[in-house]
Amino acid sequence: MSIQDIFESMDYGPAPEAAGEALAWLVDRGDTFGHFINGSWTAPGKGFESRNPATGETLAMLSQASADDVDATVSAARKAQRKWTRLSGHERARYLYAIARLVQKYSRLFAVLETLDNGKPIRESRDIDIPLVARHFYYHAGMAQLMEAELPDAEPLGVCGQIIPWNFPLLMLSWKIAPAIAMGNTVVLKPAEYTSLTALLFAEICQEAGLPKGVVNVVTGDGAVGEMIVNHPDIDKIAFTGSTSVGRKIREATAGSGKALTLELGGKSPYIVFDDADIDSAIEGLVDAIWFNQGQVCCAGSRLLVQEGIADRFYAKLKTRMDGLRIGDPLDKCIDIGAIVDPIQLETITRLVDEHGGEGEVYHANSALPETGCFYRPTLITGLHTSAWLMQEEIFGPVLVGTTFRTPKEAVELANNTRYGLAATVWTENINLALDIAPKLAAGVVWVNATNLFDAAAGFGGVRESGFGREGGWEGLTAYTRPKTKTKTLAPISPFAEGKDLAPSDGLDRTAKLFIGGKQARPDGGYMQAIWTRQGGLLGHVGIANRKDVRNAVEAAHKASGWGKTTGHLRAQILYYIAENLSARAKEFADRIDAMTGKRSGNKEVEASISRLFTYAAWADKYDGQVHGVPIRGVALAMHEPVGVIGALCADETPLLGLISAMAPAMAMGNTSVLVASQPFPLASTDFYQVLETSDVPDGVVSILTGDHVELSKTLSDHLDVDAVWSFSSTDLSADIEKRSAGNLKRTWVNNGQARDWFSTDGEGREFLRQATDVKNVWIPYGE
C-alpha cells in the first residue's frame, strides 16, 4: 500500500513489530527448555511444542514435568523458604525492586515473546500487560518493606503452589509471585501448557536479579503437573486461576489438607448501559470489555444489558464499530483482534456459537480473516432469553451476548442472574445511579464508565462460582500470610454419660426447642436428646435438628437479607442490647454452664461473652473499607460487604462464648447466620435465644439449631443457598466440609482439628471480620 493509497482510503497501513530479538532468544537456548529448579535449569526432557497461534509455527520444545521433577522443585522451595523468610522485609524488597527494574529493561522482549506465544495484539502486551507486571513488583517491593511495621502479627505460609492460565501468562505470574515472595514465601509455579515462554524468560531475570536459589521455581507441563502440585503434601498454599470446573476439582482435592486456597475462576460479567449513557463512549468501552485479548478474559463484559429505549440505536452503532475492527497478525501494531490461543480453543468457540447461537440473532463482524492461524470474527448475539445457554455459560472468546432491560431494578436482577460473580460494568452519566447499582451487583469488581481497569493496589477476585480470595492490594496479602499463633490439637468432646435418674435434677421438665426465623420451633424429626451433668443428673432435653430444619433456617436467613443493608450504627446498638440483656441474666447463664460442663468457668465465660458482644458492637461501624490510590484519574473504593448466609458449627468447649464468637462478627458485618450449638453442652445456646427474642434482633438474622455436628455440617455444606460454612467443632469436620462446599464453591473457614483459645485475642478480631466480609472494588474515574 502506497502513501497515496493510504491518504485516499484513510485505512491503517501495516506497522509490524520486529520479532527478531525474541526469536534469537529462543534460538540461543536451542529452542528447547527444561525446568527452572533451585536457581538452575534442568536438561530438556520429553515434552510438547509451544506454537504461535497466528501462524501455527513451532516456537520451542518444552519439557513435561514428572513426579520426580515436582518433588525436587518442592524440596528446593522448602529448603529456600527457611532462609528467605529470615531475611528482613527491606532485604526482600530490594530483590523485588530489582525484578521490577529488569522487567522494564526487557519489556520489549517480554511483549513480543508474549504475543508470539499467546496471539494477543502487541499493543496489548506492550502497553497493558508488561507495564502492569512491573507495577506489581514495584508495589509488592513496598509491601515487603512495610511488612514488619504494618503486619507485625503475620507470618508467611511457606511453600506456595501457583497454577496460572494462558490468557495473561506473565501478568498472572506477577499477580501471584510478587505478593508471595514479598511476604517471605517461596514459589512453585506452573505456567499454562500453551503459553510458558514468558515464565521461562522471567526465570532468567530472577537469576539476573540474584534472587536466592529456590525462591522461585518454574515447572512446565500439562494439567497432570498441576494436579501433582495440588496434591503434594509439602505445599502450604495453592493459588489457581482458571476455569470453574477445574477450580471445583482443586477445592475437592485440597479438602482437609490444611492448604490455604485462593481461586480466581470463570465469569459471565454484565455490561450494563443505561439510557443516559454516552453511547459512543460506552461502545468503545464495550470493545475493550469483550474484544480485548480476543474475549479470552475471565472478567470480560460478555453479557450486554442495554436499556430498552436506546437498544436499537446502540446495536446499530455497535455493529458499525465491529465492522471496523481489524483482525490479523498480532505483531502488527494496527491490529485490534489477534489470534485465539490454540486450535482447540478456536474449535470450542466455533462449536458453542454454532450449537446455541440459533436461540438468538447472530451477527459476525464484516472483517476479513487471515488465511492461516486461529482467528475468529467479533460476534454479537441478541434476542436471547435469560436462561439461554450462551447467556449463562462462559464462552471465553470474542462473542458478546445481549439483551435489554427497562428499569434499574430489572438491570440488577438480570445482571445477578448467573452462577458467577467476578466483575461488572455500569455505564451512566448519573453518578447517583451508578453508586446505587454497584453495591447491588454480585461481583467482586465493578467498573463505572470504564472497564478492565487493574492495578496492584486494588484487589481482584470474585464471589459465587467465580471463586474466593483476592489478588492485589492489602486484602490480597492475607492470602499469603497467617497469624503468628501456635495451635494444639483439639480433642473431641463427648457429652456426659446417661444417668440413672430420669427425673430432671430441679424437678422441671426442660425441653428446649430450635430457634428458627425468630420463633421457637419443634424439630422436624420430632426427636430429642437428653443432656446430663457430670454426676448423671438430667438437665433437660434439646431437639435433634435435621435437613428440613436447616432448610427452614436458611430460608429464614434469606428473608432477613435486609439486615445487610442496615447501618453499622443500628447493628452496633442491637449487639450492645444483646450484651445488656445477657448481663442481666449473667448468674443464671454461669450456673447453667457450670452444670453442663462440670467446671467452674461459667462466670468467666459469661463475662467474656458480654465483652465479645461489646467488641463487635464497636467494630460494626468501624471496619471500614479503603480508597485505593490507583494510577488513573479516579479512585478504587474497596467496600466491605457481608458474605451472606453463614452456617457455623460452634465450639463445643465454650458453649456460650463459642456461639457468640461466631454470631457476633457475622451480625456486625451484616450477615445472617444459622448456628449449630455446642453438641455436648447445648443448653446455654437454647437459653440464649430467649435473650435474642428480647433484644430487637430481626426475625431470621440468627437461627440456632441443636443436634449432631456431623449430620448438620453435611447439610449446610451441600446447601446451595448457604454462602459460607465455619466449623469450630471439636469433631474435625474440615475435610468433609471443604469437599462438599465445592458444589457452589462457597467459602469455608475450618479449624482442621486445631484448638483456639476463645478467651484470648485469638478468639476475636480482624480475622473474624475478614471471614465475615467480601471485598468489592468499585472503580470510579472522574473528570471531563
Side-chain angles (χ1 to χ4, degrees), residues 50 62 114 117-118 165-167 169 191-199 341:
S50 179
L62 306 180
E114 193 81 302
D117 203 22
N118 170 272
W166 43 259
N167 55 343
E193 181 180 4
Y194 295 155
T195 55
S196 301
L197 295 182
T198 49
V341 72

Side-chain angles (χ1 to χ4, degrees), residues 123-411:
R123 290 186 301 110
E124 295 176 8
S125 299
R126 181 195 64 196
D127 299 341
I128 299 173
D129 291 19
I130 308 307
L132 269 174
V133 171
R135 163 70 174 152
H136 272 268
F137 281 98
Y138 275 122
Y139 180 85
H140 286 97
M143 288 296 197
Q145 182 75 24
L146 297 175
M147 180 182 180
E148 291 155 6
E150 297 299 319
L151 300 170
D153 298 322
E155 64 182 12
L157 294 168
V159 177
C160 300
Q162 301 179 329
I163 303 168
I164 58 175
W166 43 259
N167 55 343
F168 292 93
L170 191 65
L171 184 56
M172 294 296 101
L173 174 152
S174 69
W175 282 19
K176 289 178 168 55
I177 288 182
I181 66 175
M183 294 297 100
N185 303 280
T186 54
V187 166
V188 174
L189 179 91
K190 191 200 89 66
E193 181 180 4
Y194 295 155
T195 55
S196 301
L197 295 182
T198 49
L200 299 173
L201 174 57
F202 178 82
E204 281 197 0
I205 74 165
C206 287
Q207 289 179 308
E208 190 170 339
L211 193 69
K213 295 179 179 180
V215 172
V216 170
N217 306 272
V218 180
V219 288
T220 55
D222 58 16
V225 180
E227 189 174 353
M228 288 182 233
I229 291 172
V230 167
N231 293 321
H232 201 287
D234 202 28
I235 285 180
D236 302 294
K237 174 188 170 58
I238 297 295
F240 172 77
T241 297
S243 71
T244 295
S245 59
V246 175
R248 186 174 285 111
K249 292 177 182 178
I250 291 174
R251 169 72 288 180
E252 293 172 349
T254 58
S257 66
K259 290 183 173 75
L261 180 63
T262 53
L263 298 174
E264 195 265 282
L265 307 176
K268 194 72 177 176
S269 300
Y271 190 97
I272 307 169
V273 183
F274 287 95
D275 57 9
D276 67 341
D278 180 332
I279 293 181
D280 290 333
S281 295
I283 286 175
E284 287 307 306
L286 185 55
V287 169
D288 286 336
I290 181 58
W291 293 304
F292 173 59
N293 199 19
Q294 296 73 252
Q296 299 168 130
V297 184
C298 54
C299 57
S302 56
R303 280 190 303 145
L304 170 62
L305 310 177
V306 59
Q307 200 153 16
E308 200 170 83
I310 62 168
D312 290 343
R313 186 156 56 105
F314 191 92
Y315 287 149
K317 282 178 169 282
L318 177 59
K319 290 175 182 178
T320 299
R321 183 69 179 91
M322 290 169 62
D323 290 343
L325 293 173
R326 299 174 299 277
I327 307 171
D329 179 6
L331 283 173
D332 187 336
K333 292 184 279 290
C334 293
I335 288 300
D336 298 304
I337 308 292
I340 302 299
V341 72
D342 186 84
I344 294 175
Q345 182 65 14
L346 176 61
E347 190 279 327
T348 299
I349 297 166
T350 304
R351 174 175 51 80
L352 293 179
V353 173
D354 289 348
E355 290 180 359
H356 301 285
E359 297 180 51
E361 298 177 13
V362 179
Y363 181 81
H364 295 293
N366 184 22
S367 305
L369 291 181
E371 295 181 0
T372 59
C374 300
F375 295 91
Y376 194 87
R377 288 184 177 88
T379 300
L380 169 66
I381 305 175
T382 56
L384 294 169
H385 55 84
T386 56
S387 61
W389 200 95
L390 293 179
M391 285 290 287
Q392 293 294 325
E393 299 300 326
E394 189 175 34
I395 303 168
F396 222 67
V399 181
L400 174 67
V401 297
T403 190
T404 61
F405 66 90
R406 293 183 178 180
T407 66
K409 180 181 179 182
E410 185 183 7

Side-chain angles (χ1 to χ4, degrees), residues 561 563-568 571-572 575 615-625 640-644 646 662-672 701 726 765-774:
S561 61
W563 177 250
K565 299 180 178 66
T566 59
T567 66
R571 297 195 293 270
L575 285 164
T615 293
Y616 291 111
W619 272 119
D621 56 1
K622 299 177 185 65
Y623 189 55
D624 297 326
H640 287 141
E641 296 186 331
V643 171
I646 297 175
M663 178 202 76
M667 283 186 67
M669 295 297 101
N671 300 279
T672 56
V701 170
W726 299 353
R766 287 183 178 270
E767 184 180 10
F768 286 79
L769 297 170
R770 283 195 294 268
Q771 293 293 340
T773 53
D774 276 318

Side-chain angles (χ1 to χ4, degrees), residues 431-446:
I431 191 64
N432 291 320
L433 176 61
L435 295 182
D436 178 55
I437 295 294
K440 297 175 182 177
L441 298 174
V445 181
V446 178

Side-chain angles (χ1 to χ4, degrees), residues 28-87:
D28 288 347
R29 283 139 192 87
D31 293 329
T32 57
F33 292 87
H35 312 292
F36 184 69
I37 301 175
N38 200 31
S40 59
W41 295 93
T42 65
K46 292 182 179 179
F48 52 96
E49 295 177 333
S50 179
R51 291 179 175 271
N52 181 342
T55 64
E57 295 174 354
T58 298
L59 296 170
M61 289 295 299
L62 306 180
S63 299
Q64 171 74 16
S66 65
D68 289 341
D69 292 325
V70 173
D71 285 342
T73 308
V74 175
S75 178
R78 176 63 63 194
K79 182 179 179 181
Q81 202 269 330
R82 301 185 188 100
K83 294 181 180 179
W84 181 246
T85 193
R86 288 198 293 267
L87 295 182

